[in-house]
Amino acid sequence: MDLAGKRILLIIGGGIAAYKSLDLIRRLRERGAQVRPVMTRAAQEFITPLAVGALSSGHVYTDLFSREDEQDVGHIRLARDCDLVLVAPATADRMAKMAHGLADDLAGAVLLATGRSVLLAPAMNPKMWQAAATLRNVETLKGDGIAFVGPMAGEMAESNEAGTGRMAEPLQIVDAVIDLLGGGPMPLQGRRAIVTSGPTHEPIDPVRYIANRSSGKQGHAIAAALAKLGADVTLVSGPVTIPEPDGVTTVHVETASEMLAAVEAHLPADIAVMVAAVADWRVATSAGQKIKKQPGEAPPPLMLAENPDILKTVGHHVQRPKLVIGFAAETQDVEDNGRAKLARKGADMIVANDVSPQTGVMGGDRNRVHIISAEGIDIWPELSKTDVAQRLAAWIVARFSS
Ligand code: C5P
């Protein structure tokens, strides 16, 4: 998430390329940016504020003289409460207005008032781009320190013409934003990670199941932390009630067998972090119909069968990831059990934690873990599960860079 926490004021100008700005909003948000959209009157002829608002999950600013908007967030605040002003598409008219400091609409007022970096993604007919007036304006704007991405050469949307004038593609614009905001390549860029999280549910019959108290908080936080560092993360989650983390592909499963199948389907990977509290047993033959309570009869016996061990399977897999990390939820002898598990499961690291009831770890927000690896044992202080996730992600980065 190379734009995590960055606030981008996106001014959408009036051109057919405005349709690409809808995708641009998604691409920026995927990288963690907050996008606050301003639409010019002409932009609203091409795409609707409703669509822009839905994609940016917030208010769309359209009017310099809107009584509500100016009371709530005036144009001066819009111009200041951001890290970058991006104009996409930037029309010939907008650039002419900017070059002369015109502020007769909200976009113009914001652009004149802002002290932030400004990036333009021009889009226009090639003849308009080559026009002497436009070339003069571009030079003026560059002289004012305004950055440009594109326009690109290619076919025009509105005619059979080709030439330079196409708006840069959303991902090219995102790259230009990252360059301007100083985001470098992420340390886990290009690495694939699989994280398991949550409990599994093993059916007894269609309405009953065996499970455990795992909330999925730790696993989900680890998936999010790896994604923030640029990893391409697949989160295989058992049934949980917490939201899917941003920037992660989440696959939902119920049982241990389904979890194993989903994990194997996503190999090869560079990193596997198996956090799920997988049920050790499933019911050997789960009933197809609800088992009825029979008055006067003894309760039905439950025959259990062992579930596949996902961590052990991955730790000994022909496509074993370079880094395999497991968790060990223990209620006693945390270190000894953790060390034994390291060898048995073929893991590079076991994150062992004490889940005895008095610790409140199961379902809680905090965790105190012992890091067990070939290098020895490291005991971390009590931390939030998010902090444990971040430290673990930093450890993974260090492992890959050493
Ligand atoms: O053996 P134990 O359940 O204590 O091991 C815990 C570790 O093994 C965790 O990383 C858990 O995700 C993983 N595990 C698994 N499949 C199982 C049991 C545990 O992946 N069936």
Side-chain angles (χ1 to χ4, degrees), residues 324-337:
V324 176
I325 298 177
F327 270 64
E330 304 290 347
T331 53
Q332 56 193 1
D333 301 331
V334 175
E335 286 185 12
D336 287 349
N337 288 333

Side-chain angles (χ1 to χ4, degrees), residues 21-83:
S21 304
L22 295 172
D23 190 38
L24 174 61
I25 294 171
R26 293 187 52 205
R27 303 293 160 219
L28 289 167
R29 294 191 70 203
E30 265 171 17
R31 284 159 181 80
Q34 295 165 26
V35 180
R36 195 177 244 183
V38 169
M39 293 180 77
T40 65
R41 194 186 46 73
Q44 295 168 60
E45 301 287 337
F46 293 93
I47 55 173
T48 66
L50 192 68
V52 172
L55 287 168
S56 60
S57 287
H59 188 74
V60 181
Y61 297 83
T62 53
D63 194 357
L64 182 56
F65 300 109
S66 153
R67 210 176 291 159
E68 295 94 71
D69 288 356
E70 280 295 306
Q71 264 170 17
D72 176 23
V73 185
H75 62 277
I76 300 295
R77 252 185 72 196
L78 275 179
R80 281 191 195 143
D81 285 358
C82 62
D83 299 301

Side-chain angles (χ1 to χ4, degrees), residues 126-347:
K127 293 256 167 10
M128 292 171 82
W129 176 248
Q130 289 302 330
T134 305
L135 295 176
R136 263 197 316 274
N137 292 335
V138 169
E139 279 316 300
T140 303
L141 292 171
K142 284 186 175 166
D144 291 344
I146 286 174
F148 283 78
V149 50
M152 304 299 171
E155 302 257 318
M156 295 296 113
E158 76 278 22
S159 62
N160 290 329
E161 281 175 78
T164 299
R166 280 171 64 94
M167 186 166 89
E169 293 304 319
L171 288 178
Q172 292 173 313
I173 299 176
V174 168
D175 285 344
V177 169
I178 293 170
D179 283 349
L180 269 179
L181 290 177
M186 298 276 93
L188 293 178
Q189 198 88 48
R191 304 275 183 200
R192 281 166 55 96
I194 305 175
V195 180
T196 65
S197 183
T200 63
H201 284 184
E202 309 296 335
I204 297 170
D205 65 20
V207 296
R208 305 182 179 95
Y209 56 83
I210 299 178
N212 59 59
R213 296 185 195 283
S214 171
S215 64
K217 284 180 186 169
Q218 186 63 81
H220 280 50
I222 290 169
L226 293 173
K228 274 209 178 106
L229 296 179
D232 173 4
V233 182
T234 301
L235 172 65
V236 181
S237 172
V240 293
T241 56
I242 56 174
E244 294 180 2
D246 283 342
V248 162
T249 306
T250 306
V251 179
H252 295 277
V253 296
E254 293 268 329
T255 65
S257 305
E258 288 169 7
M259 189 172 271
L260 175 63
V263 167
E264 287 194 291
H266 286 87
L267 290 174
D270 302 286
I271 306 158
V273 192
M274 308 283 97
V275 196
V278 183
D280 289 316
W281 307 285
R282 65 178 181 278
V283 177
T285 44
S286 74
Q289 303 292 330
K290 184 180 172 191
I291 304 170
K292 289 290 195 195
K293 188 164 73 175
Q294 303 294 356
E297 276 190 19
L302 277 187
M303 279 294 290
L304 299 180
E306 200 167 321
N307 262 336
D309 189 320
I310 302 163
L311 172 60
K312 196 168 162 189
T313 308
V314 171
H316 296 96
H317 208 278
V318 282
Q319 290 185 300
R320 183 189 189 279
K322 290 179 203 82
L323 210 49
V324 176
I325 298 177
F327 270 64
E330 304 290 347
T331 53
Q332 56 193 1
D333 301 331
V334 175
E335 286 185 12
D336 287 349
N337 288 333
R339 226 183 275 120
K341 228 160 255 182
L342 190 69
R344 195 169 70 244
K345 306 252 188 176

